[in-house]
Amino acid sequence: MTDFHSKSIWDVYVRVRQHVPRVHCLTNVVAQELTANVLLAAGAIPSMTIAREEVETFAGSADALLVNLGTLDAGRRDSMAAATAVATEKGIPWVLDPVKVDRSPFRADYAMSQLAQGPSVLKANEGELETLKAGLTLPLQTVVLCTGAVDRISRQGTQLGLRNGAEVMTRVTAMGCSMAALVAACCAVEEDHLLATLSAAAVFAVAGEIAHKASTGPGSFTPALLDTLYTLEWDQFEQVLRLEQEHTEEI
């Protein structure tokens, strides 16, 4: 059984810092800058091109891929399909973030076509997840990260919960998008994608909680979060982490 103790969770993040994985991000225009900065602060290397002419080269040479549906124009749809195809062919882990599929049937249909490709991780909020589960059975190997007041991570009956974070994180755009990119970075260095997802979600939420105490509002929170991701140490992480024990039920 995978060891989900705080040290094993932390060690995945340490490996991101050590191995400097390349993460290609097909994400929405609002999220690009923060997503890139979160990856850099964590020790990873982001690339962000959406150009159809080169996206396969970037995705195929990356260590992990993020596909975020926040901006879903025709050009991005083509690039996303090409990127996930090459990632699947080469066995590169990839994360699907189906932003606002609960608001658009067209978007939900596209997300389901992507889910059928078998992403390593599906990161969604409760509304998005319920929309997708109503129309498709999730691939068994896919880890699900359901974000909310408690972040829940599950796969094939194993479920864990995190009770970290800060309310101010809901007042800054692209927080969830950036967390998904960190999930991809952790999947690049850890073959057990359940543990990788747990590590990314835990580090991001713990860093947010610590950064909240050092900030006065949304404007000062973002740089404080980046600083915390960059400087975070094991003793801080262990002290703040609040992890629910695993149990066997589906989200």
Side-chain angles (χ1 to χ4, degrees):
M1 179 183 292
T2 301
D3 179 6
F4 294 116
H5 293 298
S6 55
K7 192 62 169 66
S8 65
I9 297 167
W10 171 253
D11 283 347
V12 177
Y13 191 59
V14 171
R15 276 182 273 140
V16 171
R17 290 171 165 175
Q18 291 173 337
H19 296 298
V20 195
R22 295 182 177 272
V23 181
H24 190 65
C25 304
L26 289 162
T27 191
N28 67 77
V29 294
V30 175
Q32 286 178 328
E33 182 176 359
L34 182 59
T35 297
N37 283 334
V38 163
L39 287 172
L40 288 167
I45 299 176
S47 55
M48 315 295 285
T49 183
I50 62 168
R52 179 63 183 85
E53 297 81 0
E54 59 183 5
V55 71
E56 288 169 298
T57 301
F58 273 85
S61 61
D63 299 301
L65 172 69
L66 168 66
V67 175
N68 174 300
L69 305 189
T71 308
L72 201 59
D73 54 74
R76 286 175 189 265
R77 294 197 302 275
D78 290 345
S79 292
M80 289 171 183
T84 55
V86 73
T88 300
E89 177 185 353
K90 293 190 173 187
I92 296 168
W94 65 282
V95 177
L96 178 63
D97 189 351
V99 178
K100 297 192 184 304
V101 292
D102 51 338
R103 298 283 301 277
S104 166
F106 174 83
R107 184 175 295 242
D109 288 343
Y110 185 82
M112 289 175 189
S113 72
Q114 290 288 283
L115 272 175
Q117 303 303 313
S120 307
V121 181
L122 169 65
K123 176 262 165 195
N125 62 33
E126 291 182 2
E128 293 161 351
L129 185 59
E130 287 305 313
T131 295
L132 295 176
K133 289 175 72 173
L136 180 71
T137 301
L138 297 176
L140 289 177
Q141 76 275 15
T142 296
V143 176
V144 177
L145 167 57
C146 184
T147 57
V150 178
D151 293 330
R152 301 197 180 280
I153 302 98
S154 70
R155 181 187 59 198
Q156 298 181 35
T158 298
Q159 180 175 290
L160 303 105
L162 290 165
R163 294 187 177 274
N164 289 105
E167 191 275 337
V168 70
M169 299 175 82
T170 66
R171 305 300 181 95
V172 178
T173 192
M175 282 289 133
C177 304
S178 301
M179 177 197 279
L182 189 57
V183 171
C186 288
C187 286
V189 301
E190 172 53 54
E191 291 184 356
D192 184 344
H193 295 154
L194 182 65
L195 177 58
T197 303
L198 176 60
S199 176
V203 166
F204 195 82
V206 165
E209 196 166 315
I210 294 171
H212 170 59
K213 296 177 181 178
S215 62
T216 58
S220 57
F221 173 77
T222 300
L225 174 65
L226 295 174
D227 286 349
T228 304
L229 287 168
Y230 182 72
T231 62
L232 189 63
E233 297 292 344
W234 155 244
D235 57 344
Q236 296 173 289
F237 178 76
E238 181 185 31
Q239 183 178 4
V240 177
L241 179 68
R242 294 190 298 279
L243 174 67
E244 292 183 343
Q245 293 298 312
E246 62 187 283
H247 51 91
T248 52
E249 65 178 53
E250 295 293 340
I251 289 181

